[in-house]
Amino acid sequence: YLHELLRYDVNIANAIASVAREQSITDIVMGLHRDKSPAIFLGKIAGDLLNESNVTTYIYKPTQPLATVKRHIFVIPAEAEKEAGFLDWLRKIRNLARNSGIKIVVYASQETLRYMNSLRSKRQADIDTILFNDWDRLQELLQELRTNDCLWLVMSRRERISYQPAMSRVPVYLDRYLGRNSFVLIYPVQAGDPD
């Protein structure tokens, strides 16, 4: 069920952020609208929205129908489990795995994997885990992706617990290595107000 909302505001990002607060919206899903400038990878609207709101935001770039994806690859930064929205998006991933039957592979730090394993339920989803501590090696991981893989990168806003300096290079990596792959950037709810 979709509930249509009409909003007049100063700009689009402010309108979306205001409606999200007013309607207690927990998740925003956006397509990747590339800006011409390589310095603004996400585009002005998505960049402004991430600065103005603190809801879980999924930025999706599809290259193939979701039904044709063979594996979902999730890369999670160290200490992501300490972020306020960790459990929210993790539940959605587990539902995706259970309902789609598609293989899920999670790359994360030892502590994050240990935390995720402690949450496992009896209704187990098909999720493989691989130790991944160094976001500086993200480029190597991206080069190994298969054509029918969909990459999910759990990102962080600057100055937050799980922020990794290598995240600033993600736009370059995605341009270089994921021209033929679908990907989703997840910006979870994080403690504190947006900057």
Side-chain angles (χ1 to χ4, degrees):
Y1 175 73
L2 295 176
H3 180 74
E4 185 177 334
L5 298 170
L6 179 62
R7 173 74 178 226
Y8 296 97
D9 212 312
V10 176
N11 63 51
I12 296 169
N14 191 58
I16 295 170
S18 296
V19 168
R21 280 189 295 276
E22 292 165 6
Q23 301 292 321
S24 299
I25 292 172
T26 59
D27 299 272
I28 296 173
V29 179
M30 303 178 68
L32 179 67
H33 299 283
R34 294 293 307 276
D35 203 298
K36 300 287 187 231
S37 165
I40 308 173
F41 176 74
L42 297 176
K44 181 164 176 37
I45 294 172
D48 289 349
L49 182 61
L50 289 171
N51 289 329
E52 292 181 27
S53 72
N54 191 16
V55 300
T56 301
T57 304
Y58 300 84
I59 300 174
Y60 179 46
K61 186 204 116 192
T63 58
Q64 67 186 75
L66 200 53
T68 64
V69 170
K70 301 294 183 208
R71 293 190 313 166
H72 290 286
I73 308 296
F74 287 84
V75 182
I76 304 171
E79 302 193 275
E81 71 279 3
K82 296 177 183 174
E83 298 284 8
F86 182 79
L87 292 176
D88 294 333
W89 64 262
L90 184 61
R91 280 187 202 104
K92 289 174 179 73
I93 291 171
R94 288 200 171 133
N95 284 337
L96 174 71
R98 276 190 212 115
N99 295 327
S100 70
I102 297 173
K103 183 73 157 174
I104 303 273
V105 181
V106 175
Y107 289 80
S109 69
Q110 185 66 45
E111 188 173 325
T112 303
L113 293 174
R114 191 176 307 124
Y115 182 81
M116 290 174 64
N117 283 335
S118 73
L119 300 173
R120 289 197 175 203
S121 66
K122 292 177 184 172
R123 288 181 30 197
Q124 192 62 21
D126 186 17
I127 299 176
D128 287 344
T129 57
I130 298 173
L131 182 63
F132 185 75
N133 286 318
D134 188 2
W135 269 60
D136 289 325
R137 290 185 40 238
L138 181 63
Q139 181 178 3
E140 297 167 25
L141 188 147
L142 297 180
Q143 291 175 14
E144 296 174 10
L145 290 179
R146 302 174 193 159
T147 305
N148 291 328
D149 288 345
C150 180
L151 176 71
W152 298 66
L153 287 175
V154 179
M155 303 294 285
S156 178
R157 293 162 177 92
R158 287 188 186 275
E159 309 299 323
R160 302 306 169 108
I161 296 169
S162 62
Y163 182 76
Q164 306 285 319
M167 287 180 181
S168 65
R169 295 189 296 276
V170 164
V172 173
Y173 295 160
L174 295 178
D175 268 347
R176 187 175 299 154
Y177 303 111
L178 268 75
R180 295 184 296 166
N181 289 82
S182 297
F183 65 82
V184 181
L185 302 175
I186 305 173
Y187 289 87
V189 168
Q190 296 183 297
D193 295 324
D195 297 333

